Amino acid sequence: MSQSEATTKYQQALKAGKRTYKNCLMSGRYPYLQILDEILSDDMIAGRVDLGVIDVPAGQIVGAKSIGRRTAFAADFMPLLSPDSEFAAKWIALCAAHLSDEGIRDPVRCYEYMGRFYVLEGNKRVSVLRYFEASTVPGYVTRVLPENDGSEAYARYQEFLEFYRLAPL
């Protein structure tokens, strides 16, 4: 793929991001990525488990670990920054790599908490792969185990963890 084709893809992704942003605002939803550090405090964590590199379902990647890229992405990981930004240049380079023989090889780094994934490193890789509707994203995953709060969500998650222990799917 040529640089100009990748630039066109960025402009299309940017348009999609702006549409998502606007639709979220109009429906009263938060327009940016969820931030794990804002959802979770240290006293809510029972432990951490490294899962290694797994195929992360793209639809379950809902946010970022920290606030650093909050306004760079709409809630669906589509970009929101100007096409003449450094961010856009890097996104375009990743896009061109994805569609070449080279591909995007490096797994992202992310955290899984209660069945949802939050990216620590590789937000633009996720954005490019989501733009092209990839079903999974390779990721080095650290599972964050919640403290028992007695909720139904906690009980369901414990059932999932037992299933995952037997069949890590």
Side-chain angles (χ1 to χ4, degrees), residues 11-154:
Q11 291 167 339
Q12 292 168 348
L14 177 61
K15 184 177 180 181
K18 288 180 178 180
R19 185 172 44 250
T20 296
Y21 178 86
K22 180 181 175 185
N23 289 341
C24 285
L25 288 178
M26 290 176 55
S27 65
R29 293 180 293 138
Y30 188 67
Y32 300 112
L33 299 177
Q34 296 176 29
I35 305 298
L36 183 60
D37 287 345
E38 294 179 343
I39 297 169
L40 195 59
S41 61
D42 286 340
D43 63 331
M44 298 168 66
I45 299 172
R48 289 181 171 81
V49 177
D50 287 330
L51 301 180
V53 177
I54 64 172
D55 286 329
V56 177
Q60 289 178 255
I61 302 173
V62 297
K65 168 74 167 77
S66 61
I67 197 168
R69 288 286 185 196
R70 178 193 306 259
T71 59
F73 298 99
D76 61 355
F77 268 94
M78 291 300 104
L80 291 174
L81 298 181
S82 168
D84 61 352
S85 65
E86 179 183 353
F87 172 93
K90 290 178 180 179
W91 195 101
I92 290 165
L94 280 168
C95 178
H98 174 62
L99 296 176
S100 73
D101 292 338
E102 180 182 337
I104 295 176
R105 291 189 225 139
D106 294 332
V108 300
R109 290 190 162 276
C110 60
Y111 288 86
E112 181 264 335
Y113 177 69
M114 299 290 287
R116 293 191 166 84
F117 295 84
Y118 302 85
V119 180
L120 173 66
E121 178 187 301
N123 290 302
K124 286 185 281 300
R125 283 175 269 167
V126 170
S127 180
V128 169
L129 292 169
R130 293 271 298 258
Y131 174 78
F132 286 102
E133 299 178 350
S135 58
T136 61
V137 174
Y140 183 83
V141 177
T142 300
R143 174 169 283 150
V144 179
L145 301 171
E147 280 288 335
N148 185 351
D149 63 1
S151 69
E152 185 178 325
Y154 177 83

Side-chain angles (χ1 to χ4, degrees), residues 4-17:
S4 66
E5 291 171 315
T7 300
T8 299
K9 296 295 184 193
Y10 183 80
Q11 291 167 339
Q12 292 168 348
L14 177 61
K15 184 177 180 181

